[in-house]
Amino acid sequence: NAGVTQTPKFRVLKTGQSMTLLCAQDMNHEYMYWYRQDPGMGLRLIHYSVGEGTTAKGEVPDGYNVSRLKKQNFLLGLESAAPSQTSVYFCASSAGTTEDTQYFGPGTRLTVL
Amino acid sequence: QQQVKQSPQSLIVQKGGISIINCAYENTAFDYFPWYQQFPGKGPALLIAIRPDVSEKKEGRFTISFNKSAKQFSLHIMDSQPGDSATYFCAASISWRHKLSFGAGTTVTVRA
């Protein structure tokens, strides 16, 4: 069991470039989440999904898009990267049960120049 | 605005001491309060969680105290060890929504 994996681990972009972050989970979880972590801000929810083919906005969705075409994968896209999107991005998944533990991936460190 | 306020931002404790982290919330609909632990370069991982029908939950050296009337909860790390050095996040959610609101985090450093 790999749990939650994220690709890539590091990335440097120039302003205006686009990229896609990939999250994969092998726990058959229904719920998947994308967070960004910035110093002093904690973890802020960008987008989430409650099942295959569904997506919904979180706290800070602007500038990001997501897709969940397969249950095990959740993609986060940046269409035109901005320096304000420099952050560490975490993907998480959960079963959606009452004791709702979220399992996090190792993170992607993104720098936008 | 952050729905869960966490303090302090950082703390240093001697080995064997007690670390205390406090969190406060406003939304009385929250009914699940987990704490996550994050080591440098890793993703957060669930440490311990509590529901508002109990005032305290203990797992090993980690204890959550919960005060429903004050809308506050705290994490106590007893007999702190250098291996406890990490960032700790409190969080809260309305169970059926399955979305966590996180505090800003507390970096704990345990000195040997």
Side-chain angles (χ1 to χ4, degrees):
Chain A
N1 262 3
V4 179
T5 57
Q6 292 183 232
T7 309
K9 288 186 168 46
F10 303 93
R11 186 72 187 266
V12 178
L13 288 179
K14 293 182 180 178
T15 299
Q17 288 185 320
S18 63
M19 77 162 294
T20 300
L21 306 184
L22 171 64
C23 175
Q25 53 96 2
D26 61 2
M27 297 174 281
N28 200 35
H29 284 168
E30 290 294 333
Y31 288 71
M32 295 188 75
Y33 310 83
W34 276 106
Y35 293 92
R36 60 178 290 172
Q37 183 176 16
D38 303 290
M41 305 288 287
L43 292 145
R44 292 183 292 169
L45 184 64
I46 304 171
H47 286 281
Y48 65 102
S49 167
V50 302
E52 181 179 314
T54 75
T55 63
K57 293 180 180 180
E59 296 174 64
V60 288
D62 294 343
Y64 306 95
N65 56 76
V66 288
S67 65
R68 187 144 179 227
L69 299 179
K70 294 183 179 180
K71 186 177 184 178
Q72 63 267 33
N73 295 337
F74 196 29
L75 278 62
L76 177 71
L78 286 72
E79 289 185 347
S80 179
S84 61
Q85 294 177 304
T86 293
S87 187
V88 181
Y89 292 86
F90 287 99
C91 175
S93 71
S94 73
T97 58
T98 304
E99 295 299 320
D100 202 14
T101 301
Q102 289 191 17
Y103 296 86
F104 283 79
T108 294
R109 184 172 292 276
L110 175 66
T111 302
V112 183
L113 302 176
Chain B
Q1 73 280 15
Q2 225 151 15
Q3 296 196 56
V4 181
K5 294 189 178 355
Q6 182 172 349
S7 63
Q9 190 173 10
S10 63
L11 67 91
I12 299 173
V13 63
Q14 292 296 120
K15 180 182 174 182
I18 302 173
S19 303
I20 302 174
I21 306 168
N22 300 300
C23 288
Y25 64 96
E26 287 299 323
N27 189 344
T28 55
F30 286 148
D31 62 356
Y32 177 64
F33 301 87
W35 286 86
Y36 280 76
Q37 180 187 53
Q38 183 182 30
F39 293 107
K42 305 290 186 185
L46 180 67
L47 180 65
I48 186 173
I50 197 168
R51 293 198 177 272
D53 52 344
V54 297
S55 60
E56 186 175 282
K57 183 174 181 180
K58 185 176 181 180
E59 288 186 4
R61 296 182 292 105
F62 298 90
T63 301
I64 301 178
S65 298
F66 187 83
N67 186 330
K68 189 173 181 179
S69 60
K71 292 184 286 186
Q72 295 175 347
F73 57 112
S74 60
L75 177 70
H76 291 61
I77 307 174
M78 314 300 285
D79 186 26
S80 296
Q81 300 296 311
D84 297 332
S85 296
T87 299
Y88 294 82
F89 294 96
C90 61
S93 75
I94 303 169
S95 291
W96 63 267
R97 290 189 178 169
H98 303 288
K99 287 197 302 177
L100 291 172
S101 294
F102 283 89
T106 298
T107 300
V108 173
T109 303
V110 182
R111 297 223 191 277

